[in-house]
């Protein structure tokens, strides 16, 4: 089978055995924002055409390719959700030469009833379930960081933090950015930012402190970006862990960003484990197995016993 | 005497009696960002030249004109500070045909030792001291909102919140702004945003909710900006009031923005009083009186009794 993690800025394809072992992989910067409407089948065929010619017939897609701006919009599946439920909710996309199935995004509601959504992260989380032992806390850092609670092998619920996109907007669109030099990551400044987030003051107050520290010469232009990054990530971690800093956070994502989160979690008194970068592939395989099982059971003649989907 | 409140985006000049009664006023959009280096004397003369010709000889300036980007950089005076201390710390600027004196900005340190600064707001606060009866809490909403504690007629200390500039950056530089229509202020959406800020969740989480509510059709494109504004202002107010929502907040600033803050403070369980827009003029007069007293006492011959400056 073929699994494709197709996000906003890139596409990662995996050729796998049905058990999920990766045989081959391909990656291109053809994220959905780089693909013109109507061109999704061609982009997919360019990447996986050789594998199809070599006998593959099933393709599972996950990520923003299933959003309104993607190829086909797949509905959200509400939490709690497990691999069986996700596998039973795939959307079929017409495609010449293969069965193409699209993984649904997940939705949730926070304590106040505000909606939550993810697309793509659910597949990475499914791919980390074995490492988690069925329960735990998962963090997927990014523009919109996701923190998911896993209970009994299911994604029980999740919360999103706008930290990554807020960082970019504050850097690019405020006086804070005008005081920043382009500079490599500064561990000391990042640590200062994370530590500052523990002060108990509000983020909106502490953001002004980035300016005032620079104004008083207490934060250099080469340190400001790392300090701001630490401040925002620290706030996110405190909020996501609440008082429960004893829990182990399972980090999924690009190793550089996960490294920053691991550092910040430790500074906040917690601990973390980094999940390897093939979580998406494993999740696609696992959902794909369920989906095909479900497909086969769908095709049984009426009256025959239905195989359980989970 | 002449008082000039010279900020980043505008200049407001007042001709006053020494007791602070306004005789005439002028306002131009020549904020310091619109004035070329070296052109400050000309801009000032264009505005107050007639008053000088009519016999005025003293000009007091406050605001960002005393910043590094302004005419002359005036040092910050540390809190606590009262009108006498501020009046004793004026910076003289050479100017043909009048004594020009520049009000210092104020500095402070928050609980964590991070610096705080204001320029111009100290003069508005001094102009509100009588209305406050010598003690209370003052809020000056803006790009960088200031919350000052007044005790015994002195500015005891203050905290800054980055809410206004964060709002602009989030609106102009993130996916939240791409979902916003230009629309008039929406009271219902603003109220929803303020109410949301009381949920106890973190701002970084609630920012993502602006997107998810829109995605689920639970917040219209014409409501999104007002909701975001209410969310940020609500967070600022909760943080500034802490648990002490019983205190009366004295609001100083443009009436439209102060109106939003008054509404939000009420929604957060507090109460507010709006100080009139001539607070800056009264503050300039009061500081000017002290400053001239100080100037005169400076000129007394050595050995003579010094008049107390306060």
């Amino acid at each position: 089978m073929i699994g494709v993690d197709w996000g906003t800025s890139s596409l990662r394809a995996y050729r796998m055995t049905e058990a999920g072992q990766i045989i081959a992989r391909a990656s291109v910067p053809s994220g959905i924002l780089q693909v013109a409407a109507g061109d999704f089948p061609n982009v997919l065929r360019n990447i996986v055409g050789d594998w199809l010619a070599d006998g593959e017939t099933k393709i599972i897609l996950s990520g923003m390719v299933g959003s309104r701006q993607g190829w086909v919009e797949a509905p959200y599946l509400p939490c709690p959700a497990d691999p069986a439920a996700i596998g039973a909710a795939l959307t079929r996309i017409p495609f010449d030469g293969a069965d193409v199935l699209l993984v649904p995004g997940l939705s949730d509601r926070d304590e106040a009833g505000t909606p939550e959504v993810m697309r793509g992260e659910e597949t990475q989380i499914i791919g980390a379930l074995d490492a988690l032992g069925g329960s735990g806390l998962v963090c997927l850092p990014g523009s919109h960081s996701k923190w998911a609670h896993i209970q009994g092998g299911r994604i029980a619920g999740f919360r999103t933090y706008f930290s990554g996109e807020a960082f970019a907007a504050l850097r690019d669109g405020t006086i804070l950015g005008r005081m920043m030099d382009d500079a490599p990551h500064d561990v000391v400044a990042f640590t200062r930012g994370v530590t500052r987030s523990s002060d108990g003051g509000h983020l909106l107050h502490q953001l002004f402190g980035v300016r005032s520290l620079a104004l008083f010469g207490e934060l250099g232009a080469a340190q400001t970006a790392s300090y701001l990054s630490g401040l925002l990530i620290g706030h996110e971690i405190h909020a996501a862990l609440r008082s429960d800093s004893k829990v182990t956070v399972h980090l999924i994502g690009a190793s550089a960003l996960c490294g920053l989160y691991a550092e910040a979690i430790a500074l906040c008194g917690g601990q973390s484990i980094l999940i390897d970068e093939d979580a998406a592939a494993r999740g696609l395989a696992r959902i794909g197995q369920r989906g095909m099982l479900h497909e086969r059971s769908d095709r049984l003649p009426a009256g025959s016993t239905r195989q359980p989907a989970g």
Side-chain angles (χ1 to χ4, degrees), chain A residues 5-302:
Chain A
D5 174 15
W6 201 340
T8 303
S9 56
S10 71
L11 179 163
R12 289 192 184 81
Y14 307 91
R15 186 179 183 185
M16 298 179 282
T17 64
E18 199 158 325
Q21 198 190 342
I22 298 171
I23 304 164
R25 57 180 83 213
S27 176
V28 286
S30 302
I32 66 157
L33 296 181
Q34 284 80 46
V35 176
D39 209 30
F40 286 94
N42 295 332
V43 171
L44 182 61
R45 200 176 300 279
N46 282 342
I47 306 298
V48 303
D50 287 351
W51 299 342
L52 294 178
D54 202 31
E56 296 294 344
T57 58
K58 300 270 182 193
I59 305 175
I60 314 289
L61 307 177
S62 70
M64 290 300 282
V65 67
S67 70
R68 207 166 297 172
Q69 293 76 38
W71 185 350
V72 168
E73 188 174 2
Y76 292 106
L77 187 69
C79 284
D82 62 11
I86 294 172
L90 304 183
T91 297
R92 174 174 293 278
I93 303 181
F95 183 81
D96 196 17
D99 286 335
V100 175
L101 296 168
L102 182 57
V103 177
L106 296 187
S107 63
D108 194 16
R109 295 267 171 182
D110 73 7
E111 295 74 7
T114 301
E116 279 286 3
V117 290
M118 59 165 61
R119 273 197 197 280
E121 292 93 346
E122 73 295 325
T123 302
Q124 295 173 276
I125 296 169
I126 298 298
L129 283 182
D130 289 343
L132 273 144
S135 292
L137 182 59
V138 179
C139 169
L140 301 101
S143 293
H144 305 165
S145 295
K146 308 290 179 185
W147 289 74
H149 284 275
I150 313 302
Q151 286 167 2
R154 304 190 306 176
I155 302 174
F158 62 95
R159 297 292 171 270
T160 306
Y161 293 84
F162 203 66
S163 320
E165 197 167 351
F167 171 78
L170 291 165
R171 180 194 57 197
D172 298 339
T174 74
I175 197 164
L176 306 186
R178 292 199 291 279
M179 303 178 309
M180 284 177 196
D181 282 352
D182 273 335
H185 179 68
D186 183 310
V187 176
V188 175
F190 181 79
T191 301
R192 264 182 85 186
V194 175
T195 306
R196 172 66 162 149
S197 76
S198 308
D199 283 347
H202 196 279
L203 174 61
L204 289 172
H205 166 60
Q206 295 177 351
L207 286 176
F208 182 74
V210 183
R211 165 154 173 76
S212 63
L213 285 168
L215 203 61
F216 277 61
E218 296 172 19
L219 188 67
Q223 279 89 56
T224 307
S226 297
Y227 178 90
L228 177 62
S229 169
L231 185 61
L232 289 165
I233 291 175
H235 269 276
E236 174 186 330
I237 289 168
H238 284 298
L241 294 182
R242 295 179 195 172
S243 50
D244 189 17
S245 67
K246 292 286 176 289
V247 71
T248 297
V249 181
H250 292 77
L251 289 164
I252 307 179
S255 59
L257 188 57
C258 284
L260 292 183
Y261 271 70
E263 198 181 322
I265 289 167
L267 287 165
C268 295
Q271 50 189 343
S272 62
I273 292 174
L274 182 60
I275 304 290
D276 70 278
E277 297 204 33
D278 286 335
R282 283 194 305 275
L284 285 160
R286 187 149 173 192
I287 294 168
Q289 292 151 11
R290 301 289 179 166
M292 288 170 221
L293 206 65
H294 189 77
E295 286 266 309
R296 280 196 294 269
S297 71
D298 274 354
R299 286 177 192 159
L300 292 176

